[in-house]
Amino acid sequence: MNERKSLHFELLGSFSCEGAVLKSGRKVLSFLQYLIVHHERNISAAELIEEFWPERSDTPANALRRMLLRARNLLRELYPYQEELLLTLPGCYAWNPEVSLELDIKQFEDACLEAGRKKGTEQVESLLRAVSLYKGDFLSANDSRWVAGPRQYYRTLYLDACKTLLPLLEQEERWIEMMLIGEQAYEIDFSVEDFTFCQMQALIALNQPEQAVEKYENFRNRMLEEFQIEPSDRVEKLCSLAAGLRKQDLGISEIFELLSEEDPGKRAFFCSFEMFQNIVSLERRHLLRSKGNAMLIIVRLGQGAVPAADVRRLERILLEGLRAGDPVARLETGSYIFLLTGADAENAQMVVSRLDRAFHKIYRRSQAHMTYHMEALSFED
């Protein structure tokens, strides 16, 4: 009895066979890929014509025969000693039953399902095996209509596996693996905040807080650019932690030297909302003693704003237009709050008018309209 032959195809990322990347015309490759993906059933000529010649040319049957010939020739180049791999049956086509096809998508799907049935260390290892099989999106170079559904399915499987795996790696303090998987998942879908958060956690644990801050900044810029969304509070807090850790290794004399030499610059002080609350609380205590004035101002981008561009513009105007050291915090995308110490309502109105004029003078083409809300900072007990 003859041993059943098997062929191995990789469809996650680059399309390859036995590790060799296949090269041919785009439509020929897509046609062959379709046959491979649906290899477990007979595929009718009508189905192939509908999928690959939907425009209904005058001779779709001839076009199908020519395409099938090209696909068979490509397979013969790959397997010159194999018998006929694609068989023509009445009204349909099928793979030779004497040959089995092993696909990475099936191995990947099975590994994900297996991981769901396990717990603890066994689940971690199954998930690691699953994500290692995902070399990229399903048939990443193929933009045919039929690819979209499977691509989204396997991508969702992969992202869900990463979301499950990363917290488990954190529990076992496997920081390097956590970092690498977070990076890979980020490349597939950067908008999933968990992937940046876990990368930052791993970098902090590996005593690389500078890189954690860099990860945060890259993530924030992309989210603003693509979706006009700010990172959540948990990511902001992790960034603040990383920024603080950057200076923890300094000695006493180095800390004093750094504080003495660091140039505060001429810009306002941009900080997290949590830090802003602490500054306001401290200022309120000062006002109890001095009986002076201070104003809180909220500024928001209104109608006509281009979110990604005008958010950055407003942020720049606030940082450069306010006094050095005036604290500024972000509330949400396109919304900021700042504190003016020593200012009353009249002074605050002058500052607001000056900022508004500066914005529209520098960014004349912007259609953004800003709204301002002011309130005196109370110093009552």
Side-chain angles (χ1 to χ4, degrees):
M1 182 175 180
N2 293 332
E3 184 180 353
R4 194 180 187 199
K5 304 178 181 67
S6 64
L7 310 178
H8 180 76
F9 290 98
E10 295 183 352
L11 297 98
L12 294 172
S14 299
F15 176 49
S16 64
C17 178
E18 313 294 346
V21 177
L22 300 180
K23 296 182 180 180
S24 186
R26 294 176 66 181
K27 193 162 187 175
V28 177
L29 286 178
S30 183
F31 183 83
L32 179 58
Q33 290 160 358
Y34 188 90
L35 295 175
I36 291 171
V37 170
H38 300 285
H39 71 281
E40 294 181 335
R41 63 181 177 85
N42 295 349
I43 305 173
S44 70
E47 177 183 338
L48 292 169
I49 289 172
E50 179 66 30
E51 187 61 53
F52 291 94
W53 295 275
E55 66 277 5
R56 298 292 183 184
S57 63
D58 293 336
T59 57
N62 289 337
L64 173 58
R65 282 193 290 270
R66 288 193 296 270
M67 184 64 72
L68 187 66
L69 176 62
R70 296 175 67 184
R72 281 174 167 154
N73 288 337
L74 181 58
L75 288 171
R76 287 193 188 101
E77 290 177 13
L78 291 169
Y79 304 103
Y81 304 109
Q82 285 278 17
E83 55 193 285
E84 193 67 49
L85 294 175
L86 289 174
L87 305 180
T88 300
L89 305 177
C92 64
Y93 303 93
W95 286 85
N96 189 326
E98 298 300 320
V99 177
S100 66
L101 270 60
E102 297 178 354
L103 309 185
D104 62 342
I105 53 174
K106 182 66 165 62
Q107 295 170 341
F108 169 68
E109 185 177 31
D110 288 346
C112 289
L113 294 174
E114 180 186 6
R117 296 190 291 266
K118 295 185 176 180
K119 299 293 183 183
T121 302
E122 288 187 349
Q123 183 183 27
V124 171
E125 297 308 316
S126 292
L127 286 168
L128 284 170
R129 178 174 176 272
V131 300
S132 70
L133 290 168
Y134 197 90
K135 307 297 184 183
D137 282 337
F138 174 76
L139 296 175
S140 57
N142 190 337
D143 57 1
S144 301
R145 178 185 58 182
W146 70 269
V147 172
R151 178 175 293 161
Q152 186 58 48
Y153 170 71
Y154 293 116
R155 177 186 286 192
T156 301
L157 270 186
Y158 171 73
L159 296 175
D160 287 347
C162 291
K163 290 175 189 176
T164 303
L165 175 59
L166 287 168
L168 298 176
L169 293 175
E170 179 192 359
Q171 292 174 13
E172 297 185 4
E173 299 185 359
R174 297 167 69 168
W175 307 118
I176 298 295
E177 291 164 294
M178 185 176 169
M179 180 67 210
L180 293 175
I181 289 166
E183 284 182 342
Q184 293 165 1
Y186 180 89
E187 291 302 316
I188 299 298
D189 189 350
F190 79 89
S191 67
V192 179
E193 190 177 82
D194 290 355
F195 302 149
T196 294
F197 186 80
C198 289
Q199 287 183 76
M200 292 174 65
Q201 283 182 309
L203 287 167
I204 290 172
L206 292 168
N207 196 29
Q208 299 178 31
E210 296 90 350
Q211 293 187 31
V213 173
E214 184 178 344
K215 290 287 182 186
Y216 162 82
E217 292 172 349
N218 291 337
F219 172 66
R220 178 181 179 248
N221 290 337
R222 290 193 69 179
M223 290 296 287
L224 277 175
E225 188 69 32
E226 296 288 336
F227 307 112
Q228 295 80 56
I229 297 175
E230 294 280 358
S232 69
D233 287 344
R234 68 169 188 155
V235 179
E236 295 275 5
K237 290 178 180 178
L238 195 60
C239 179
S240 297
L241 172 63
L245 289 173
R246 287 188 297 186
K247 298 178 181 178
Q248 278 196 1
D249 292 335
L250 298 175
I252 298 297
S253 60
E254 291 173 311
I255 292 174
F256 284 128
E257 183 178 351
L258 181 63
L259 291 173
S260 300
E261 293 182 355
E262 190 169 350
D263 183 7
K266 299 179 180 180
R267 296 159 63 93
F269 176 59
F270 191 78
C271 59
S272 67
F273 184 71
E274 185 177 15
M275 183 178 291
F276 186 85
Q277 288 178 299
N278 293 332
I279 293 172
V280 170
S281 178
L282 183 61
E283 180 61 22
R284 198 184 300 274
R285 296 184 184 187
H286 290 164
L287 293 178
L288 278 170
R289 297 194 302 269
S290 67
K291 308 300 181 184
N293 298 311
M295 296 291 295
L296 287 170
I297 298 95
I298 294 175
V299 55
R300 289 191 172 95
L301 283 170
Q303 295 181 347
V306 177
D310 284 326
V311 163
R312 290 193 294 270
R313 291 166 178 171
L314 176 56
E315 195 167 296
R316 178 187 172 189
I317 289 297
L318 293 175
L319 293 178
E320 297 182 356
L322 294 171
R323 297 171 300 185
D326 281 344
V328 182
R330 186 186 310 111
L331 296 175
E332 56 188 4
T333 303
S335 179
Y336 297 83
I337 186 169
F338 57 93
L339 175 68
L340 297 177
T341 58
D344 56 19
E346 184 178 354
N347 301 137
Q349 184 59 56
M350 292 173 61
V351 171
V352 164
S353 298
R354 175 167 52 81
L355 293 172
D356 198 73
R357 287 195 304 271
F359 183 94
H360 290 101
K361 181 178 179 180
I362 296 174
Y363 306 110
R364 295 183 181 183
R365 295 186 179 181
S366 173
Q367 300 299 312
H369 295 281
M370 288 171 285
T371 59
Y372 300 88
H373 302 274
M374 298 181 290
E375 183 174 323
L377 183 63
S378 170
F379 54 83
E380 296 178 359
D381 291 321

